[in-house]
Amino acid sequence: MKNKRKVEVIDYQSDWKKKFEDEAEILREILKDIIVDIHHIGSTAIPDIKAKPIIDILIEVKEIDKVDQFNDKLIQQGYIPLGENGISNRRFFIKGDEIDRTHHVHIFQTGNPEIARHIRFRDYLINHPDEAKAYSDLKDELAKKYPYNIEEYIKGKDHFIKEIDQKVMKEQ
């Protein structure tokens, strides 16, 4: 299984926020004027829950089509551009490689509903620690059940994520 990506969640690490901030600075330097905002999203942005030790970064840009012109500079920083990677109107990058990665960068154009959805999900779990713990426990269980099957791991989280998304919409 050496050449297969292992699904592993670990306890919250206090340095995840700093890792986000450091990487956000590098990305700001590369993308400069096209950036509207940069957000730390995903489980590493939610205190005290288990997560895959990969920092998820969401970048909001003025024009999504301008992102591609920065691919070479991002590659120089260790990123692999994966295009939309299954979500239309997104640009997705991984830092590292298919097996061992440290960052995921999701780039969306201002107005894309995915921006608000990711931020609302993060903020909801930060403000609802019991539900954050349930999410953490679910991810831990799925990682143990599917240690080399990221697709099943992701599929296993889907219902929970959609439930939270619905709760967030009701609170709006």
Side-chain angles (χ1 to χ4, degrees):
M1 293 291 186
K2 198 76 172 140
N3 59 354
K4 201 147 167 68
R5 185 171 161 211
K6 184 163 191 321
V7 180
E8 183 177 25
V9 295
I10 64 172
D11 289 333
Y12 180 81
Q13 305 292 302
S14 58
D15 67 341
W16 284 341
K17 184 175 196 254
K18 172 108 173 70
K19 286 181 177 181
F20 159 75
E21 290 167 353
D22 290 347
E23 201 65 25
E25 201 51 47
I26 291 166
L27 294 164
R28 272 189 195 92
E29 192 58 37
I30 294 169
L31 299 171
K32 295 187 192 307
D33 297 337
I34 70 166
I35 292 179
V36 174
D37 210 346
I38 300 182
H39 305 276
H40 187 187
I41 61 166
S43 296
T44 61
I46 303 165
D48 303 321
I49 75 166
K50 290 187 175 195
K52 293 192 312 300
I54 300 168
I55 308 299
D56 278 292
I57 299 172
L58 186 149
I59 302 178
E60 181 181 348
V61 296
K62 297 172 188 172
E63 296 177 64
I64 196 71
D65 294 333
K66 294 204 171 174
V67 173
D68 301 328
Q69 69 192 18
F70 295 95
N71 282 355
D72 288 342
K73 287 183 179 178
L74 289 162
I75 289 167
Q76 289 171 10
Q77 291 298 319
Y79 281 96
I80 299 170
L82 297 174
E84 291 184 331
N85 201 47
I87 298 178
S88 61
N89 298 312
R90 170 179 80 163
R91 294 299 181 274
F92 183 67
F93 298 83
I94 61 172
K95 188 167 193 175
D97 59 40
E98 289 297 329
I99 306 300
D100 189 22
R101 53 186 73 177
T102 59
H103 297 78
H104 288 163
V105 176
H106 313 257
I107 305 179
F108 295 99
Q109 183 169 307
T110 298
N112 188 309
E114 286 295 311
I115 298 167
R117 187 184 73 75
H118 281 287
I119 293 167
R120 286 190 308 250
F121 181 84
R122 176 201 66 198
D123 291 351
Y124 181 89
L125 289 183
I126 288 171
N127 293 316
H128 296 84
D130 291 347
E131 295 200 60
K133 168 119 177 50
Y135 186 50
S136 180
D137 292 345
L138 172 65
K139 293 186 325 152
D140 193 35
E141 177 186 315
L142 290 167
K144 288 174 181 160
K145 188 173 181 180
Y146 304 111
Y148 291 98
N149 191 333
I150 189 70
E151 292 82 14
E152 287 299 320
Y153 170 82
I154 291 168
K155 201 185 303 180
K157 298 187 312 176
D158 189 60
H159 180 73
F160 184 94
I161 291 168
K162 286 182 175 156
E163 274 187 354
I164 296 298
D165 286 343
Q166 287 175 346
K167 287 179 182 181
V168 168
M169 295 310 285
K170 286 178 185 167
E171 286 188 358
Q172 296 279 316

